[in-house]
Amino acid sequence: MEEKKKQEKKVAPPKEKKAKPEKKDLGVISYDAPTLPGEKKDVLSALPDSYSPQYVEAAWYSWWEKQGYFKPEYGPNSRGVFMMCIPPPNVTGSLHLGHALTNAIQDSLTRWHRMRGETTLWNPGCDHAGIATQVVVEKKLMRERGMSRHDLGRDQFIQEVWKWKNEKGDRIYHQLKKLGSSLDWDRACFTMDPKLSYAVQEAFIRLQEDGVIYRSKRLVNWSCTLNSAISDIEVDKKELTGRTLLPVPGYKDKVEFGVLVSFSYKIEGSDEEVIVATTRIETMLGDSAVAVHPADPRYQHLKGKMVLHPFCDRKMPIVFDEFVDVNFGTGAVKITPAHDHNDYEVGNRHNLAFINVLDENGLLINVPAPFLGMKRFEARKAVLQALKDRGQFKETKDNPMVVPVCSRSKDIVEPLLKPQWYVDCADMGKQAADSVREGRLKIIPDHHHKTWFNWLDNIRDWCISRQLWWGHRIPAYFVTVNDPSDMDGHYWVSGRTEEEARDKAAKRFNVSTDKITLRQDEDVLDTWFSSGIFPFSIFGWPNETQDLSVFYPGSLLETGHDILFFWVARMVMMGLKLTGKLPFKEVYLHAVVRDAHGRKMSKSLGNVIDPLDVITGISLEGLYAQLQDSNLDPVEVEKAKQGQKSDYPTGIPECGTDALRFALCAYTSQGRDINMDVNRILGYRHFCNKLWNAVKFAMRTLGDNFVPSEKAQVRDSVSDRWILSRLCSAVGQCNAGFQAYDFPAITTAIYNFWLYELCDVYLESVKPVFSRAEDSGSQSQAVVCRQTLFTCLETGLRLLAPIMPFVGEELYQRLPRRRSQDDHSSIHVTPYPETEEGLIDLEKEVAKLTVKKGELEKQMDKLREKMDKSDYKEKVPVKVQELDAEKVRRCGGENVLRF
């Protein structure tokens, strides 16, 4: 129990006792041996004097890939199947440290399962990122050719996007390979590939035919800059404490937000007025009612009354609704059903008019002449002035509020009434929630259950149409029937082809196909729709392929907790609905990576770091150059430069892939965000150097003619037994850590074993043994010590290989092999250590040592009794007294043996 407590104290990432950075400059050593891509690296030449990431990480990845180690078909794997698909990163650009964390965790898990002898597949893929990609290419077109997508037309613009994707889209895969990610690249998928596009089309048609997908006119989040509806995840909520001027795309001057404007409506047939307040005064042009609380005594006499709109002949009812807050303002609220989510619900409850006063570009429509055609925020000033002119303006005051901003375009999001395609999520949401409630799906850590249930139990239908050109075009057709008996003429059918849709329409309306006219929907599907079916579309669904039968459902989904309901929930809902199966058995949600100050990663803050810059190092000037090539505004570029100068005054030092991965895993505490300081990563580069030096020393000690025995040879040496017990303990902690997704426990066990136990204690304790090896009595002792040392090195490297794949491989390749491992050409296809290997039977050894401890304590008691006698100093020779005192000192009283 005491031992367990000691180990638990070490779970936190090492702090004070971390390997001290060497004072000398970090050396850069390159690998220069002529090695073609895919050839095995030269491991016969001597190791360099010190660890250098450039040397260590050269050549291995292409060899691993060519050998087929990343494929599930490699090797006789008989311990079950482990399958995980990558959360497909957006094709738009480069990975950041958050992606690096995702991949460090996922690759470590993949390599661990592979080394355990399971049939292992980690499937790569990339998302077409509809809005983000379209924005990037549009900006490129305007910057380089002064053209908009409308100048090109839809077909030509899509060709430009494909051209950009083919030129730039592989950057992410390059980064993943530099991170050491052991993905099966032969199975890589892009969400716009024909195989996946076919699955998307099939999913839409099946759901539409089942009535799960339907069309409806509702309020959506609208970006006037993108001319598209956007999802909740693409809306940033900017909190304001009061009056604030914000930049808005398309406006020269900043626009005022964070104020509450009060004005009055006149009561019809009376001198009375009702004062209302709004943060969006321009929307009063679309007002269709004033609402008060049913119990508010101030307005009881106004039941059945109407108010008059000041700028048109519109009469608007005063409605009584319990949603009104009697303590806010005057207790009377203007209602604009077509431009506010709360007002939309009020409008439905009271059958109010839905008056749309904004078009898709943010220009005013359906309004009196003075305001017609105005831009929405220019109309804000004009309406305010017009109210002042009529004497109906009351006051303006500061008002804390949240402004919805489009994360892609930085435009202010407008609620807009538009006909869109929706997914009815009620039944699917219940099934997804129940799968966790009933224990069929496990979410780790379980404190995310509350978020899961809150969202799914109150789920709203999902708007899946986007007014974009890049993406999966919706396979639905607008139908016109050329027949006098057709009174409506406006219907929608879905179809895999236009011919199939025409046949459907003809059957539905009981006319011949020649009387049917079709027009395909111009919209594309929300990117999350194709991502939602990713776990099975990658295997060829709806076709019954071999991969689908072997690898679906998957074992695990690992991702950041910030997309729990945007992606994870949708995968679960779509998987259950379309395949009848959960897409995976477990979901592990890791923390979000923030900068050293706890701030969210943001390009405008200059704290979004490319993991390759941490791996290879970069100067401050190099960081500046990257900002110049970005899409940031000049003002944001300068702000970002200041942030970079503050955080990285001399740039970022070369840390290497292994150190980056180890650092990210070490600080991944469940449920807490990670504040990542690059200096911490550098500390683990120095740890790599400690490993390097330990193995170099050990190899000299083993000698050229050393032959490892099949199992560790244990003698009566306390130091040998102790280090093997520590190794056995580390093996147990690492396996338990992987099973529980406790990555700090894994890194702490590895770090403690190599640094504190092997290097600081064992290697120091056995140096005298090797120095006395010439003595005949010490030769046998040295032989056993060498076997113990080899066991520690070989097992210790296998322990760390999943997290530190490059240095693990480089050092493992230099070690001699046990005969039973001759066919293990790479450390990544060796078995992961298990306590059952017989390194040492910990319980038996502890029992033996406990008996020995008891015997020594008895001897100590006798010795103390002898030394406590009154005539001890007179009768016992001085030399014997000195020897007795040394025995007491060495045994340390009660600490006869330490475990």
Side-chain angles (χ1 to χ4, degrees), residues 542-836:
N543 297 319
E544 291 293 334
T545 65
Q546 184 177 357
D547 271 4
L548 187 67
S549 64
V550 173
F551 296 115
Y552 184 82
S555 311
L556 172 71
L557 178 81
E558 196 284 332
T559 190
H561 68 74
D562 51 333
I563 57 171
L564 175 61
F565 28 79
F566 296 112
W567 189 43
V568 182
R570 284 168 182 170
M571 281 188 287
V572 173
M573 290 193 297
M574 300 281 268
L576 286 170
K577 183 65 179 176
L578 291 168
T579 73
K581 300 174 184 176
L582 286 165
F584 26 74
K585 302 177 185 72
E586 292 185 326
V587 177
Y588 171 62
L589 301 167
H590 66 247
V592 171
V593 179
R594 299 181 179 272
D595 70 9
H597 312 290
R599 301 175 304 180
K600 189 176 179 181
M601 297 289 185
S602 165
K603 287 181 181 177
S604 61
L605 291 174
N607 61 358
V608 174
I609 298 300
D610 185 333
L612 299 194
D613 292 337
V614 179
I615 291 169
T616 61
I618 189 172
S619 66
L620 182 60
E621 291 71 24
L623 290 171
Y624 284 171
Q626 291 178 353
L627 289 175
Q628 297 297 342
D629 294 336
S630 69
N631 287 319
L632 291 177
D633 294 336
V635 175
E636 290 182 315
V637 168
E638 288 306 311
K639 181 182 175 184
K641 279 186 176 180
Q642 292 303 314
Q644 290 179 340
K645 186 176 182 180
S646 173
D647 287 345
Y648 316 109
T650 58
I652 299 174
E654 179 193 38
C655 297
T657 299
D658 290 317
L660 172 60
R661 290 168 58 121
F662 199 88
L664 289 167
C665 290
Y667 291 94
T668 308
S669 296
Q670 288 188 8
R672 289 211 315 258
D673 286 352
I674 302 168
N675 295 352
M676 183 50 65
D677 185 346
V678 171
N679 289 324
R680 292 178 174 178
I681 304 172
L682 186 61
Y684 289 112
R685 171 180 169 156
H686 294 299
F687 172 57
C688 289
N689 200 49
K690 280 282 187 181
L691 295 175
W692 192 266
N693 291 335
V695 173
K696 279 179 67 70
F697 166 78
M699 287 175 64
R700 287 196 303 269
T701 303
L702 294 177
D704 295 336
N705 299 318
F706 173 77
V707 177
S709 61
E710 282 304 294
K711 290 192 177 179
Q713 297 179 16
V714 182
R715 59 186 177 88
D716 288 336
S717 163
V718 172
S719 59
D720 278 8
R721 291 177 178 274
W722 177 80
I723 193 61
L724 289 174
S725 75
R726 301 316 311 137
L727 177 58
C728 194
S729 176
V731 169
Q733 290 176 62
C734 286
N735 279 297
F738 274 118
Q739 287 165 350
Y741 307 110
D742 187 351
F743 294 93
I746 301 166
T747 55
T748 301
I750 291 168
Y751 194 95
N752 287 346
F753 172 74
W754 276 95
L755 194 62
Y756 305 147
E757 295 165 350
L758 183 63
C759 294
D760 287 359
V761 178
Y762 183 72
L763 288 181
E764 294 301 318
S765 72
V766 297
K767 281 179 181 177
V769 175
F770 295 125
S771 65
R772 298 194 306 266
E774 292 78 16
D775 301 337
S776 58
S778 301
Q779 283 183 0
S780 60
Q781 188 179 6
V783 167
V784 176
C785 264
R786 286 191 178 95
Q787 294 293 344
T788 300
L789 179 56
F790 172 81
T791 296
C792 289
L793 295 178
E794 192 267 349
T795 308
L797 289 175
R798 284 190 286 139
L799 271 187
L800 63 79
I803 293 179
M804 304 179 101
F806 291 104
V807 73
E809 185 75 279
E810 185 73 39
L811 295 175
Y812 175 82
Q813 292 289 343
R814 311 294 178 135
L815 294 179
R817 296 278 199 279
R818 288 185 167 126
R819 283 191 299 275
S820 60
Q821 295 183 340
D822 283 347
D823 60 337
H824 296 148
S825 52
S826 166
I827 194 170
H828 299 294
V829 290
T830 62
Y832 196 78
E834 296 183 11
T835 51
E836 292 77 15

Side-chain angles (χ1 to χ4, degrees), residues 434-447:
D434 288 347
S435 68
V436 174
R437 281 196 177 97
E438 296 164 5
R440 289 178 285 117
L441 177 64
K442 188 176 181 182
I443 297 179
I444 306 163
D446 60 10
H447 63 74

Side-chain angles (χ1 to χ4, degrees), residues 48-90:
D49 290 337
S50 62
Y51 167 79
S52 174
Q54 281 192 31
Y55 180 92
V56 170
E57 293 167 21
W60 285 123
Y61 194 92
S62 61
W63 179 68
W64 291 333
E65 197 177 350
K66 187 173 181 181
Q67 293 299 306
Y69 297 146
F70 303 162
K71 301 188 72 59
E73 293 85 359
Y74 183 89
N77 302 324
S78 58
R79 295 183 64 178
V81 174
F82 176 79
M83 185 273 157
M84 177 172 59
C85 63
I86 197 170
N90 289 352

Side-chain angles (χ1 to χ4, degrees), residues 399-414:
N399 181 63
M401 63 180 293
V402 175
V403 177
V405 179
C406 174
S407 63
R408 306 296 183 186
S409 65
K410 305 306 177 190
D411 197 2
I412 305 301
V413 174
E414 288 288 343

Side-chain angles (χ1 to χ4, degrees), residues 178-208:
K178 289 293 288 184
L179 285 165
S181 303
S182 57
L183 293 146
D184 182 359
W185 292 107
D186 289 338
R187 285 181 165 90
C189 294
F190 179 52
T191 49
M192 291 285 285
D193 285 344
K195 178 174 72 173
L196 276 72
S197 294
Y198 177 74
V200 168
Q201 180 189 68
E202 187 68 22
F204 181 94
I205 292 169
R206 290 189 184 188
L207 294 174
Q208 198 262 342

